[in-house]
Amino acid sequence: MDFDKSTKIAFIGCGAVGKTLAVALSRSGYSVVAASSRTYKSAQDLASRITNCRSYESIPEAARQADLIFITTFDSAIESVVNSIKWSSNQAAVHCSGASSLDVLKAAEAHGAVIGSFHPLQAFAGVDDALAALPGSTFGIEGEGELKDYLTQLALDVGGNPMFLQSSDKPLYHASAVTLGGVLMGQIAVIAQIWQDRLGVERNEALKTLIPMVRGVADALEANGIPNGIAGPYVRGDIETVKKHLEAMRSVGIQEMQMYATTALAGIKFAAEKGVCKTEDVKVMKELLNTYINKNPI
């Protein structure tokens, strides 16, 4: 099967991910012709953003219009969506899950369709913001032959960086991405809540101060790399300051203290690598962090 910009594309699942990818591909000259979703209104919204794209209430009907079907539903729905479609050997099925293997597409493969995955490593809070953030993002790609080449070109054409994965890589790949994304968001929310509860700054007002710091951290890492971009008192070997931090966070709660201690402990090896913290201080810091973690189990 040949793939190029004239290949007709359908999107099944029209949340932020589906809408963002559909619009980005259309703007890059690809032919997005059909959309369907659990909620028909979402499909209509996606179709309204793209010339010559139609919305369908029926998922199988939308799939019949296309050569390549992107499945951008929740992970738990991918397999049932695939099973609902009558596939042919002239089609390709591609899911956009970071965690799921290609096994969820086996019903499509059994009917001769080629299969792959195309996962944008980016946060999708809203379509417009996500479109702006997409250039420079990594796309985790699974697939073989012409489909792999095509998905690679898709990623490049929307300004992304392709990264090739095996199904066995997916759990760790996605866990690392969620740690950087969703778990980091949770940590920021915890800090904002601390500011509200203890410092008297409403948490969404606190974000206005905290988010620029997050951007600054990202800029420092991008500019200086690892380990030189890593900073903080535990990197400098400032043991007394870290003790004060641990006690302060413990006064808020055990979980908050554990968040600080376990994250610092995971990163302490980079302090050693950077060489600012003396070898003996690295050892003392590890012991200190482990003591607080082990004596204060959640």
Side-chain angles (χ1 to χ4, degrees):
M1 181 177 178
D2 295 327
F3 298 100
D4 55 33
K5 287 196 172 182
S6 68
T7 298
K8 294 179 180 178
I9 298 172
F11 276 84
I12 309 300
C14 301
V17 174
K19 289 174 185 175
T20 301
L21 289 180
V23 172
L25 291 177
S26 177
R27 289 179 179 177
S28 297
Y30 290 87
S31 180
V32 180
V33 300
S36 187
S37 195
R38 179 177 56 86
T39 304
Y40 182 50
K41 185 177 180 180
S42 295
Q44 289 177 306
D45 182 53
L46 187 155
S48 72
R49 297 169 182 263
I50 297 171
T51 303
N52 298 323
C53 180
R54 286 187 57 189
S55 57
Y56 293 84
E57 292 190 73
S58 165
I59 288 174
E61 181 65 18
R64 277 195 289 272
Q65 313 307 312
D67 308 309
L68 185 146
I69 295 91
F70 277 108
I71 301 168
T72 47
T73 63
F74 293 134
D75 289 10
S76 59
I78 294 173
E79 195 161 9
S80 63
V81 166
V82 172
N83 292 340
S84 73
I85 295 170
K86 186 176 181 180
W87 298 92
S88 78
S89 58
N90 294 319
Q91 289 181 310
V94 178
H95 73 65
C96 294
S97 165
S100 300
S101 72
L102 296 184
D103 289 346
V104 294
L105 303 175
K106 60 186 178 183
E109 186 178 39
H111 287 88
V114 292
I115 60 173
S117 70
F118 186 77
H119 177 253
L121 192 62
Q122 187 52 264
F124 288 83
V127 176
D128 292 336
D129 288 342
L131 283 167
L134 210 56
S137 299
T138 292
F139 286 79
I141 294 171
E142 286 184 273
E144 300 293 337
E146 292 182 9
L147 180 60
K148 179 181 179 181
D149 294 341
Y150 179 72
L151 295 177
T152 300
Q153 191 60 51
L154 288 184
L156 294 171
D157 284 346
V158 299
N161 302 308
M163 174 182 179
F164 305 111
L165 300 168
Q166 300 295 323
S167 285
S168 58
D169 298 328
K170 297 297 281 292
L172 184 57
Y173 161 80
H174 197 246
S176 62
V178 170
T179 301
L180 183 61
V183 174
L184 178 59
M185 287 178 182
Q187 289 182 324
I188 295 168
V190 167
I191 299 305
Q193 189 67 48
I194 289 172
W195 279 41
Q196 176 171 294
D197 294 344
R198 295 300 187 92
L199 303 180
V201 182
E202 194 276 327
R203 62 188 185 184
N204 287 312
E205 286 298 313
L207 286 177
K208 295 177 182 178
T209 298
L210 297 170
I211 295 301
M213 182 180 178
V214 175
R215 294 195 181 103
V217 168
D219 290 344
L221 282 171
E222 185 175 36
N224 300 306
I226 299 170
N228 291 332
I230 306 291
Y234 75 93
V235 177
R236 299 191 300 269
D238 190 345
I239 296 167
E240 291 305 314
T241 295
V242 171
K243 283 181 181 178
K244 291 177 183 178
H245 290 173
L246 290 165
E247 286 298 322
M249 294 297 274
R250 185 162 64 176
S251 76
V252 175
I254 297 300
Q255 289 183 325
E256 289 80 0
M257 185 276 294
Q258 292 274 27
M259 182 181 77
Y260 180 102
T262 56
T263 304
L265 186 62
I268 196 72
K269 62 183 178 183
F270 301 114
E273 189 179 341
K274 189 171 182 179
V276 175
C277 185
K278 296 177 182 178
T279 302
E280 55 268 30
D281 287 342
V282 171
K283 182 179 179 181
V284 171
M285 195 76 70
K286 285 182 179 179
E287 292 174 350
L288 174 66
L289 293 166
N290 273 311
T291 296
Y292 271 80
I293 291 167
N294 295 329
K295 287 188 177 181
N296 299 277
I298 295 174

